[in-house]
């Protein structure tokens, strides 16, 4: 019997903090990226080699895409750390989630007389805490950037508008919109990745050899697309927020 | 709501842990990846722009130098031509002067040679005359004592002539 849990499974507790398999994967991703960026920074050269070349192409591509949305290279470089971190974190988490061993290596736990398999790791985005955290960061950072660009009065004037009943109602809708963004952000990514995990588990259980390969390919693609969608939506919201009142 | 969140595994501690993860990652990537890479991209782009600008400048300078070089060569050609022309004119004038001078000198020399020849000839004729008279006198002295007057006169004359002839042959 396949055991599919929506919530990330708790492995152990450390000083009151429940360590789940989703959090563990998230830490692994952070460590991998920190080590990779440290290696990159130590070996950065004017004439780039293999690794630097790949990173530079990715950075140039992303900055170019952002420049297309923001119509300014300067702004693109300013917002780049937020967008690029969201993209990289989500992408590597998604791709790490389909690595062999992730979700399949674990231990059996007996709970209330029922033995269930607890994987040591699980795709980080298949844990709602991860997607919700990034969604919150995204929305909060959009608001912070908007305040920095336009000023608190203009920015909050968008939410609390007392010029008339229609404007007031629009302001309330704007506030609701911010919460909706968090929910849509987090559940879109969580839903896609969790569904992909479930699909792979089911395919692996039904036909363990060869059959899951196309689905693995699909998950690589979905992982990339979801990372891109998350970061690009953040960018679009950011672009609207910092230019909204400027017109 | 709380049940739903619990069912979905949402826990504020885990949420905070994930936020901290993201913050750490953003800080580290910003410091070790984005900043150096964007800096390097900008530096490379600036270097390329600078290189292109320098190349354009060099091309422009080269074309200007070529123009200046051509102008200088042209000016030098003109100068050389005028110098050659001036030299030719000067040489012609000087040649003519030298020729004139030489002509004058040679004429002078010829004239003086003529004069000295004439003088020499005069001197020689004088000397020949002196010698002839001396020989005639010597011949006469020898012959006069031997002959009668008429015969002697004729004989003297013949003798004198003969002496003169022989003197001139000896000479």
């Amino acid at each position: 019997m396949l055991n599919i849990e929506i919530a990330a499974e708790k492995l152990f507790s450390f000083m009151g903090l429940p360590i789940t398999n989703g959090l563990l994967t998230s830490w692994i991703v952070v460590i991998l990226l920190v080590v990779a960026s440290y290696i990159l920074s130590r070996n950065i050269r004017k004439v780039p080699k293999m690794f630097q070349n790949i990173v530079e192409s990715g950075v140039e591509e992303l900055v170019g895409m952002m420049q297309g949305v923001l119509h300014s290279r300067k702004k693109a470089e300013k917002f780049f750390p937020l967008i690029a971190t969201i993209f990289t974190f989500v992408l590597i988490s998604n791709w790490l989630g389909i690595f062999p061993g992730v979700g399949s290596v674990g231990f059996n736990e007996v709970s209330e007389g029922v033995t269930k398999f607890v994987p040591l790791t699980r795709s980080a985005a298949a844990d709602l805490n991860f997607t919700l955290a990034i969604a919150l960061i995204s929305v909060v950072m959009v608001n912070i950037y908007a305040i920095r660009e336009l000023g608190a009065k203009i920015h909050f004037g968008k939410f609390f508008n007392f010029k008339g009943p229609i404007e007031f109602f629009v302001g309330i809708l704007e506030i609701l919109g911010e919460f909706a963004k968090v929910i849509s952000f987090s559940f879109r990514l969580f839903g896609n990745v969790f569904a992909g995990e479930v699909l792979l588990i089911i395919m692996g259980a039904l036909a363990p050899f060869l059959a899951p390969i196309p689905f693995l390919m699909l998950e690589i693609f979905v992982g990339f697309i979801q990372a891109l969608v998350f970061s690009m939506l953040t960018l679009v919201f950011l672009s609207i927020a910092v230019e909204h009142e400027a017109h | 709501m709380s049940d739903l969140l619990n069912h979905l595994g949402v826990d504020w501690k885990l949420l905070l842990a994930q936020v901290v993860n993201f913050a750490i990652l953003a800080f580290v990537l910003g410091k070790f990846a984005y900043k150096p890479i964007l800096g390097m991209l900008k530096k490379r782009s600036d270097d390329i722009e600078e290189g292109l600008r320098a190349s354009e400048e060099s091309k422009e300078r080269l074309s200007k130098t070529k123009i200046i070089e051509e102008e200088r060569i042209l000016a030098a050609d003109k100068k050389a031509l005028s110098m050659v022309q001036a030299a030719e004119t000067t040489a012609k004038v000087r040649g003519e002067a030298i020729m004139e001078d030489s002509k004058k000198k040679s004429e002078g020399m010829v004239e003086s040679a003529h004069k000295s020849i004439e003088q020499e000839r005069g001197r020689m004729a004088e000397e020949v005359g002196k010698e002839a008279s001396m020989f005639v006198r010597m011949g006469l002295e020898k012959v006069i004592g031997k002959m009668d007057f008429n015969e002697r006169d004729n004989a003297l004359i013949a003798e004198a002539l003969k002496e003169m002839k022989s003197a001139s042959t000896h000479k």
Side-chain angles (χ1 to χ4, degrees), chain A residues 28-57:
Chain A
I28 292 168
V29 173
V30 170
I31 290 165
L32 279 176
L33 287 172
V34 165
V35 171
S37 63
Y38 182 71
I39 291 168
L40 175 75
S41 73
R42 291 290 299 267
N43 298 297
I44 207 150
R45 282 182 181 86
K46 202 168 182 180
V47 179
K49 287 193 173 177
M50 190 72 173
F51 183 47
Q52 190 185 335
N53 240 329
I54 294 166
V55 176
E56 276 186 10
S57 326

Side-chain angles (χ1 to χ4, degrees), chain A residues 115-144:
Chain A
T115 306
K116 68 172 186 179
F117 176 73
V118 178
L120 271 175
T121 47
R122 128 194 207 131
S123 184
D127 175 5
L128 197 60
N129 291 298
F130 175 86
T131 58
L132 197 58
I134 299 179
L136 281 169
I137 288 166
S138 165
V139 173
V140 169
M141 285 309 290
V142 166
N143 282 282
I144 289 172

Side-chain angles (χ1 to χ4, degrees), chain A residues 6-7 16 18 20 26-27 33 37 41 44-46 48 56 60 80-81 84-86 89 128-130 132-133 137, chain B residues 7-11 13-15 17-19 21-22 25-26 28-29 32-34 36-38 40-41 43-44 47:
Chain A
I6 288 181
T20 61
S26 177
W27 281 344
L33 287 172
S37 63
S41 73
I44 207 150
R45 282 182 181 86
K46 202 168 182 180
E56 276 186 10
E60 194 57 54
F80 183 77
T85 308
I86 290 174
F89 199 15
L128 197 60
N129 291 298
F130 175 86
L132 197 58
I137 288 166
Chain B
H7 186 66
L8 290 169
V10 177
D11 183 336
K13 286 177 188 168
L14 287 169
L15 203 63
Q18 295 287 13
V19 170
N21 277 354
F22 186 90
L25 193 62
V28 173
L29 288 182
F32 293 118
Y34 307 146
I37 288 287
L38 286 173
M40 184 54 75
L41 288 172
K43 193 170 182 291
R44 201 177 293 137
D47 284 356

Side-chain angles (χ1 to χ4, degrees), chain B residues 123-170:
Chain B
R123 200 177 52 81
M124 276 176 72
E126 203 177 315
E127 274 184 15
V128 167
K130 276 181 186 173
E131 278 184 19
S133 69
M134 190 180 73
F135 286 129
V136 168
R137 199 179 295 129
M138 280 166 70
L140 281 173
E141 279 173 1
K142 278 181 183 179
V143 175
I144 283 169
K146 294 173 184 178
M147 291 181 166
D148 65 299
F149 290 112
N150 283 330
E151 202 179 2
R152 194 182 61 187
D153 286 347
N154 290 331
L156 275 172
I157 292 162
E159 191 83 14
L161 287 168
K162 194 182 168 186
E163 283 298 323
M164 272 178 73
K165 200 178 269 183
S166 100
S168 69
T169 314
H170 279 290

Side-chain angles (χ1 to χ4, degrees), chain B residues 25-169:
Chain B
L25 193 62
F27 173 75
V28 173
L29 288 182
K31 190 170 180 180
F32 293 118
Y34 307 146
K35 207 175 169 185
I37 288 287
L38 286 173
M40 184 54 75
L41 288 172
K42 183 155 179 15
K43 193 170 182 291
R44 201 177 293 137
S45 159
D46 289 349
D47 284 356
I48 290 167
E49 272 178 25
E50 175 65 27
L52 287 172
R53 202 179 54 77
S55 155
E56 281 299 315
E57 266 183 20
S58 300
K59 271 185 193 170
E60 210 171 299
R61 208 176 294 158
L62 188 69
S63 68
K64 274 182 186 170
T65 312
K66 270 186 181 170
I67 291 167
I68 291 168
E69 193 186 325
E70 278 169 11
E71 279 174 354
R72 279 187 183 170
I73 287 170
L74 209 67
D77 276 353
K78 275 182 185 172
K79 201 175 175 182
L81 201 68
S82 69
M83 278 168 79
V84 168
Q85 279 174 347
E88 274 178 354
T89 313
T90 312
K92 205 174 173 182
V93 169
R94 282 191 71 183
E96 280 171 2
I98 288 165
M99 285 291 284
E100 191 70 26
D101 199 32
S102 304
K103 203 175 169 184
K104 275 180 186 170
K105 271 184 184 171
S106 67
E107 277 175 3
M109 278 168 78
V110 168
E111 202 176 325
S112 75
H114 275 301
K115 273 182 187 171
S116 61
I117 288 166
E118 282 296 316
Q119 281 174 354
E120 191 67 19
R121 191 183 283 167
R123 200 177 52 81
M124 276 176 72
E126 203 177 315
E127 274 184 15
V128 167
K130 276 181 186 173
E131 278 184 19
S133 69
M134 190 180 73
F135 286 129
V136 168
R137 199 179 295 129
M138 280 166 70
L140 281 173
E141 279 173 1
K142 278 181 183 179
V143 175
I144 283 169
K146 294 173 184 178
M147 291 181 166
D148 65 299
F149 290 112
N150 283 330
E151 202 179 2
R152 194 182 61 187
D153 286 347
N154 290 331
L156 275 172
I157 292 162
E159 191 83 14
L161 287 168
K162 194 182 168 186
E163 283 298 323
M164 272 178 73
K165 200 178 269 183
S166 100
S168 69
T169 314

Side-chain angles (χ1 to χ4, degrees), chain A residues 89-136:
Chain A
F89 199 15
V90 174
L91 180 74
I92 302 301
S93 300
N94 290 351
W95 281 355
L96 194 74
I98 52 171
F99 249 66
V102 177
S104 55
V105 175
F107 55 90
N108 285 318
E109 189 185 58
V110 182
S111 170
E112 295 167 1
V114 181
T115 306
K116 68 172 186 179
F117 176 73
V118 178
L120 271 175
T121 47
R122 128 194 207 131
S123 184
D127 175 5
L128 197 60
N129 291 298
F130 175 86
T131 58
L132 197 58
I134 299 179
L136 281 169

Side-chain angles (χ1 to χ4, degrees), chain A residues 67-82:
Chain A
Q67 199 178 335
V69 176
L70 297 164
H71 308 293
S72 155
R73 173 89 186 185
K74 203 179 162 189
K75 274 187 179 176
E77 286 187 7
K78 189 178 175 184
F79 302 138
F80 183 77
L82 174 71

